Amino acid sequence: MSAPTLRIADLGLGFRTWAGPVEVLHGISLHINKGERVALVGESGSGKSVTARIVLGLLQELKNARISGTVEFEGRDLDRLSARERHALRGTRMSMIFQDPTSSLNPVYRIAPQFHEVLKRADPAISEAAARDRAAALLSAVAIPEPERALDSYSFQLSGGMNQRVMIAMALANEPSLLIADEPGTALDVTVQAQTLALMRDMVEEHHTSVLFISHNLGVVREFADRVYVIYKGRIVEHATAEGLFADPRHPYTRALLAAVPRITGGGIPEIEDVSEDYYQPLVVHEGCGEPEGAA
Amino acid sequence: MKRAAYILVRNPLSLTGVILITLVVFGALFADFIAPFPEHRGAVVDFANFNKPPEWPYLFGTDLVGRDLFSRILYAYRISLLLGVVVLAIAVPVGVTIGLVAGYIGGWTEYVLMRITDVFLSIPPLVLAMSMMGLLEPTLTNGMLAVTAMWWPWYTRLVYNLTRSEKEEGYVLAAEVIGASKPHIIFREILPNCVPSIVTKMTLDLGFVILIASSLSFLGLGVQPPTPDLGSMVADGAKYLPDSWWLTVFPGLAILVAVFGFNLLGDALRDILGVDQ
Amino acid sequence: MPPVVRLLAKRLGTSLIVLVGVSMLIFTIARVIPGDPARIALGPNATAEQVEALRERLHLDEALPIQYGYFLRDLSRGDLGISLYTNRPVTADIAQFLPATLELIVVAGLMMILIGLPLGVIAARYRGSWADHAVRIFTLLGVSAPSFVWAVILMLIFAFYLPLFPIAGRIADSYAIASVTGFLTIDTLIAGNLAAFGNAAWHIVLPAFALSLSGIGQAARLTRSNMVETYDKPFIEMARSYGFPERRIARRFAFRPSLIPSLTIIGLDFAAMLGNAFLVEAVFAWPGLSRYGVAVILRKDLNAIVGTVLIISAMFLLVNIIVDLLIAFINPRIRYSQRAS
């Protein structure tokens, strides 16, 4: 069995602030095998977004961040890599899509040159014309009608749904092993969100891309993910298959989450009013789930 | 207030601004007591001590008729600050009111008022004041008039833009629905929301008025001798460069210090009040 | 009609109205001042008949609107009257002195952009470092003193103490260059005289720099704060997530969106230099329109004053229009949203 695409072991994250040190992550462990779709679920502020950014290496650049633990990508410990090697992975072997597609695209450049930049990551010598052809093909694959017209447009001229597809196309353009999706489609309306998710599922299945799916939306997670980790205040509290979690939630926090009513505003994040002592109970792992041993 | 103190202390530049301005204002207010030669602000001659480089007791040297430069600068600060305060006291209410009315009432009123404002704004700032000063007698009062005439449109434009965006905000619509009168909405609802921007601009403007006023007097269009004025001191001294360098350098630095201080203070206020650029 | 052309037409129309307003304003001020313009012009030794004759010629006894009418009629013929200072048509005076001022402003404007913008980018990229603080202090100082103070200090340091630059004038008297555009830098090149070009360029550096300091300061501060804001935007995070090199992000992705909000103010600063040119020209004895302007103002030379102010305001408006067009060109939102509106 080959090494998991992503393996995080005991990841800790703290910030040095003027009010003293603040711990955000308290030893997170998770893994994603090839072609698996794993969801990381929690409220806002639980630490799920920063986990994603650590994998990509985006947080390490902050001066007051303290990171401990191991992150392995395709069997290689990311800490052991040089900064340049780490950097080379971004956009090529691992990529990310973000919450608000329209504001994630540069507003003063058309889509075509932005695509060109992305494709250059894998093939620095690619010409503008060749990039354009490839981009058009990719846009067709994500079911964008009239790809040529989209390429010549600015992000504010396209709808939110179309921009989302553009982002997906860009993220998968260089055939990464890992796709990180940070609350994708939260800024879109529900029907569009459903369509884009279906599209994403088809595409990752086709390319055997592993996916780390970050969300607070349980319905979406149920549709999309194979396995689920539930995170609460920087700790993983439950880990199960998607079916298993929804059929038999065991941790008190998971149960509270499933029972909670989503807020009307704020992207449907569930409201958990009381902070119960129970939520701090240790990790509950369902059968058949568990962390693999490390590579070295 | 505590937050204000925190921001000031954290940022050494802001603190510098506060200190500089305190010194300037202090010097201007208490010139009578601080100046070593308070009578030198007038038409005094002392040829025995004329054109001396900086040495005790003439901290900044003396001018060509023997007057102590340091004392004259302190009195010049007094005039500059007075000018700034008077100009703003008139220009700000006028400009702000026009901006509020134009922004809120809209229609023909808006068009006419803003076109008039544009006329004043399309003459480069110094040029209008210069023309007016050139055509009137160069006195302090006329100087105030000229600078005020060119100053109010900036506040109009600032407040006009703010009003136009505030107009659509919830609290305004709510007030309209209740049936509040137009003056009430303008002055009791919208105006308070403009205050941070206005106050920040006023602080920065105190410095800029000093800048403009000194530019006018540099060209000979400001107050006349023997009243001490920073700009004219620089102009008079420029003829004697580079030998009697203190004649130009110290008044010039005095201008720089005052404006610099107001700029730093304005920046600090901007941070404290959270104003956008 | 393409949206940009429509924008241009609208702005030209508004500017024309504003210019008319300006002419009315300055005309009224010029005519309403205390004192008799004719007497002032002729001096205290003129006889009553001479004063009366001049008043007749200048239509000074007629009602103000009628005077304005005469003024407009002359203006439409390109006649701005005779300057009582130079005894030449005002238009000739302007034609002689304007290019010198324009040259100064253009060079200063170039300095503002070529020095100010990169400084802002550097300060934003290395936010919080010593480079950022150094830029901040430098730019604040630049903005805090009137141009003449800087002119004097620069002259003192670089022309007197370290004789690196000439003290005054546009070019050494030994060069006689045919005046084609009035821009010495261009005319010397047209004449093929490289030595003269070098000399002219050498003469323009210090005054232009003094003039541009406040503009450089503004441009740098604005660019820095806009770029800092842009760096926080989602599309920059996305660019980082794709591993685009930091340098490329600063230059390509973050710069252009930051530029747009700054452009309006940069345009205003550039135009404001038209006003500040007065001060620099005075210190460096630069034979430009501003120096002429000061002279005629001091002499209460009505025709020349009105003509000069009008021309300067027209330039100011023109520069603003060009800047607005540039903004529309760079900001795709404006270009395309005209379609919707």
Side-chain angles (χ1 to χ4, degrees):
Chain A
M1 169 104 142
S2 63
T5 308
L6 179 69
R7 188 182 93 93
I8 299 179
D10 214 19
L11 184 66
L13 170 66
F15 287 110
R16 242 186 355 188
T17 68
W18 55 272
V22 173
E23 293 297 314
V24 179
L25 294 178
H26 306 270
I28 304 264
S29 299
L30 63 88
H31 74 282
I32 306 177
N33 294 318
K34 186 162 171 61
E36 263 196 315
R37 300 192 293 269
V38 171
L40 185 56
V41 179
E43 299 168 82
S44 62
S46 53
K48 50 195 204 304
S49 293
V50 293
T51 309
R53 280 158 177 81
I54 292 180
V55 171
L56 264 179
L58 287 176
L59 266 189
Q60 281 78 333
E61 283 154 19
L62 279 179
K63 275 187 230 133
N64 53 347
R66 296 269 164 274
I67 299 177
S68 60
T70 323
V71 178
E72 280 175 15
F73 179 67
E74 294 187 321
R76 294 153 84 194
D77 186 341
L78 289 180
D79 260 342
R80 301 244 181 95
L81 297 178
S82 71
R84 213 211 223 152
E85 289 172 315
R86 253 206 117 131
H87 195 254
L89 292 173
R90 280 193 230 156
T92 51
R93 315 264 357 105
M94 49 166 106
S95 62
M96 189 158 170
I97 57 181
F98 295 87
Q99 229 169 330
D100 182 1
T102 311
S103 56
S104 299
L105 291 167
N106 198 311
V108 296
Y109 289 99
R110 294 178 212 263
I111 305 292
Q114 298 190 52
F115 237 116
H116 187 195
E117 293 284 334
V118 169
L119 291 170
K120 273 207 286 198
R121 289 292 296 150
D123 177 8
I126 192 171
S127 72
E128 238 184 273
R132 203 189 159 87
D133 289 336
R134 185 147 159 68
L138 286 164
L139 287 182
S140 305
V142 289
I144 286 190
E146 298 185 54
E148 290 291 326
R149 197 150 153 259
L151 282 173
D152 286 329
S153 310
Y154 291 93
S155 67
F156 63 86
Q157 291 176 296
L158 303 173
S159 71
M162 281 183 72
N163 281 322
Q164 179 78 301
R165 289 157 195 260
V166 170
M167 264 220 307
I168 295 176
M170 277 187 187
L172 296 173
N174 294 325
E175 314 242 350
S177 319
L178 175 66
L179 172 69
I180 305 180
D182 186 5
E183 319 229 18
T186 310
L188 303 173
D189 90 69
V190 194
T191 35
V192 180
Q193 199 180 52
Q195 281 172 1
T196 2
L197 282 167
L199 175 70
M200 235 172 66
R201 188 179 46 214
D202 293 338
M203 299 216 63
V204 300
E205 265 173 16
E206 203 182 306
H207 294 159
H208 300 295
T209 318
S210 313
V211 180
L212 176 60
F213 190 89
I214 300 187
S215 183
H216 55 263
N217 188 329
L218 296 161
V220 159
V221 165
R222 190 173 187 162
E223 286 292 312
F224 187 79
D226 298 324
R227 272 186 302 120
V228 182
Y229 291 86
V230 181
I231 184 171
Y232 177 67
K233 290 209 200 304
R235 288 184 175 78
I236 304 275
V237 296
E238 189 157 356
H239 171 203
T241 61
E243 296 158 17
L245 189 82
F246 289 95
D248 176 26
R250 294 186 199 164
H251 193 279
Y253 176 67
T254 317
R255 282 194 231 143
L257 206 58
L258 284 168
V261 179
R263 270 195 285 216
I264 298 179
T265 58
I269 301 177
E271 276 181 34
I272 312 274
E273 290 297 348
D274 4 81
V275 178
S276 162
E277 271 303 305
D278 291 343
Y279 298 164
Y280 289 97
Q281 273 182 27
L283 169 62
V284 174
V285 181
H286 290 217
E287 303 68 36
C289 305
E291 297 309 312
E293 294 306 305
Chain B
M1 273 317 285
K2 255 175 72 176
R3 184 162 161 267
Y6 177 68
I7 290 183
L8 278 177
V9 169
R10 278 277 305 267
N11 191 341
L13 281 180
S14 307
L15 202 58
T16 315
V18 174
I19 294 177
L20 285 178
I21 295 306
T22 315
L23 287 175
V24 168
V25 171
F26 197 71
L29 281 176
F30 298 109
D32 296 317
F33 303 104
I34 302 177
F37 297 90
E39 64 280 6
H40 282 188
R41 76 181 186 279
V44 164
V45 291
D46 180 6
F47 284 113
N49 289 311
F50 85 117
N51 209 12
K52 276 184 173 315
E55 62 185 27
W56 187 264
Y58 303 107
L59 290 168
F60 288 168
T62 60
D63 66 6
L64 290 154
V65 293
R67 290 179 292 194
D68 173 39
L69 226 50
F70 180 66
S71 309
R72 285 180 64 79
I73 288 181
L74 285 180
Y75 282 100
Y77 266 150
R78 196 184 264 193
I79 304 239
S80 305
L81 286 177
L82 181 67
L83 188 77
V85 168
V86 170
V87 165
L88 288 182
I90 304 175
V92 174
V94 169
V96 166
T97 309
I98 297 182
L100 282 172
V101 169
Y104 185 69
I105 307 283
W108 272 111
T109 320
E110 176 185 352
Y111 192 76
V112 168
L113 285 176
M114 290 318 287
R115 290 295 83 74
I116 295 179
T117 312
D118 281 343
V119 166
F120 278 87
L121 282 174
S122 62
I123 307 180
L126 209 51
V127 177
L128 179 60
M130 278 176 55
S131 317
M132 284 182 71
M133 284 306 289
L135 297 165
L136 300 165
E137 288 308 310
T139 65
L140 188 57
T141 325
N142 287 337
M144 289 185 190
L145 200 68
V147 177
T148 311
M150 64 167 268
W151 217 269
W152 64 266
W154 299 98
Y155 284 91
T156 305
R157 184 176 269 182
L158 173 71
V159 172
Y160 172 69
N161 284 326
L162 279 173
T163 309
R164 287 221 313 185
S165 59
E166 292 293 314
K167 206 161 73 158
E168 309 300 330
E169 291 288 323
Y171 68 93
V172 173
L173 297 172
E176 284 171 358
V177 164
I178 298 179
S181 69
K182 285 206 167 67
H184 173 92
I185 295 183
I186 292 178
F187 292 108
R188 304 293 287 278
E189 304 280 349
I190 300 184
L191 178 59
N193 283 289
C194 302
V195 164
S197 300
I198 295 177
V199 168
T200 309
K201 183 165 171 51
M202 280 175 71
T203 313
L204 292 168
D205 275 352
L206 273 172
F208 286 133
V209 169
I210 296 182
L211 213 101
I212 297 281
S214 63
S215 305
L216 281 178
S217 36
F218 176 78
L219 294 168
L221 296 166
V223 291
Q224 295 300 297
T227 324
D229 180 283
L230 296 171
S232 32
M233 285 199 246
V234 175
D236 292 336
K239 304 186 199 105
Y240 302 98
L241 285 174
D243 304 304
S244 303
W245 55 270
W246 58 91
L247 294 176
T248 32
V249 170
F250 285 117
L253 285 180
I255 300 177
L256 180 60
V257 162
V259 180
F260 190 57
F262 278 115
N263 274 339
L264 289 176
L265 201 60
D267 267 0
L269 263 181
R270 189 180 271 151
D271 283 339
I272 296 176
L273 295 174
V275 174
D276 305 317
Q277 288 275 16
Chain C
M1 230 202 300
V4 176
V5 176
R6 210 177 325 144
L7 182 70
L8 178 63
K10 190 158 150 254
R11 288 302 307 266
L12 278 176
T14 321
S15 303
L16 214 59
I17 298 178
V18 171
L19 261 182
V20 168
V22 170
S23 66
M24 276 197 247
L25 178 68
I26 202 66
F27 186 85
T28 313
I29 294 179
R31 291 288 189 269
V32 173
I33 54 158
D36 180 359
R39 171 158 289 288
I40 295 168
L42 291 174
N45 296 322
T47 63
E49 290 89 39
Q50 286 173 315
V51 173
E52 207 40 55
L54 189 56
R55 286 188 69 89
E56 190 74 42
R57 216 179 81 211
L58 294 177
H59 309 287
L60 285 175
D61 288 321
E62 307 189 38
L64 207 59
I66 300 187
Q67 292 191 40
Y68 186 65
Y70 279 119
F71 169 70
L72 280 183
R73 183 201 63 189
D74 293 335
L75 188 62
S76 60
R77 283 199 241 127
D79 175 14
L80 281 164
I82 308 287
S83 159
L84 298 162
Y85 166 50
T86 59
N87 275 315
R88 286 194 306 182
V90 173
T91 37
D93 283 342
I94 291 179
Q96 180 183 348
F97 294 117
L98 184 61
T101 305
L102 278 181
E103 193 178 16
L104 192 60
I105 291 176
V106 167
V107 174
L110 280 175
M111 283 184 181
M112 183 170 95
I113 296 179
L114 294 175
I115 302 178
L117 292 183
L119 273 182
V121 172
I122 293 176
R125 190 156 158 225
Y126 299 107
R127 172 153 64 142
S129 69
W130 62 268
D132 183 18
H133 285 301
V135 169
R136 181 150 179 235
I137 295 183
F138 170 71
T139 54
L140 261 182
L141 283 176
V143 181
S144 299
S147 313
F148 66 85
V149 170
W150 291 123
V152 163
I153 292 181
L154 284 172
M155 189 193 251
L156 208 57
I157 301 178
F158 292 107
F160 281 119
Y161 288 146
L162 308 168
L164 290 173
F165 287 99
I167 294 174
R170 290 181 81 188
I171 197 169
D173 290 324
S174 46
Y175 295 105
I177 307 291
S179 177
V180 176
T181 59
F183 281 61
L184 271 177
T185 41
I186 300 182
D187 286 346
T188 46
L189 283 176
I190 293 179
N193 190 336
L194 279 178
F197 172 73
N199 193 287
W202 185 54
H203 271 89
I204 206 175
V205 167
L206 223 47
F209 189 61
L211 186 58
S212 67
L213 262 177
S214 108
I216 290 178
Q218 279 276 65
R221 268 151 65 87
L222 261 177
T223 306
R224 176 196 182 277
S225 72
N226 284 331
M227 275 198 67
V228 164
E229 237 184 86
T230 305
Y231 267 126
D232 284 339
K233 294 245 168 92
F235 57 87
I236 294 294
E237 193 184 27
M238 171 140 145
R240 287 216 178 100
S241 80
Y242 276 101
F244 297 140
E246 202 56 45
R247 208 140 135 262
R248 204 166 169 72
I249 292 183
R251 271 203 236 139
R252 240 174 99 87
F253 300 110
F255 183 60
R256 220 198 263 188
S258 333
L259 192 60
I260 290 166
S262 327
L263 278 178
T264 320
I265 310 249
I266 290 182
L268 272 175
D269 280 339
F270 183 79
M273 281 203 249
L274 276 166
N276 287 328
F278 286 79
L279 308 166
V280 169
E281 289 188 9
V283 172
F284 283 97
W286 189 265
L289 192 63
S290 314
R291 207 149 154 255
Y292 172 75
V294 176
V296 300
I297 287 178
L298 286 172
R299 282 170 183 69
K300 302 199 198 294
D301 182 349
L302 297 174
N303 289 329
I305 293 178
V306 173
T308 311
V309 173
L310 212 55
I311 290 292
I312 292 185
S313 304
M315 298 270 118
F316 193 64
L317 285 167
L318 199 65
V319 167
N320 279 326
I321 292 181
I322 294 179
V323 167
D324 278 347
L325 281 176
L326 217 65
I327 294 179
F329 183 69
I330 295 186
N331 187 350
R333 249 183 249 257
I334 294 187
R335 253 194 295 168
Y336 290 95
S337 70
Q338 296 285 22
R339 222 191 299 150
S341 65

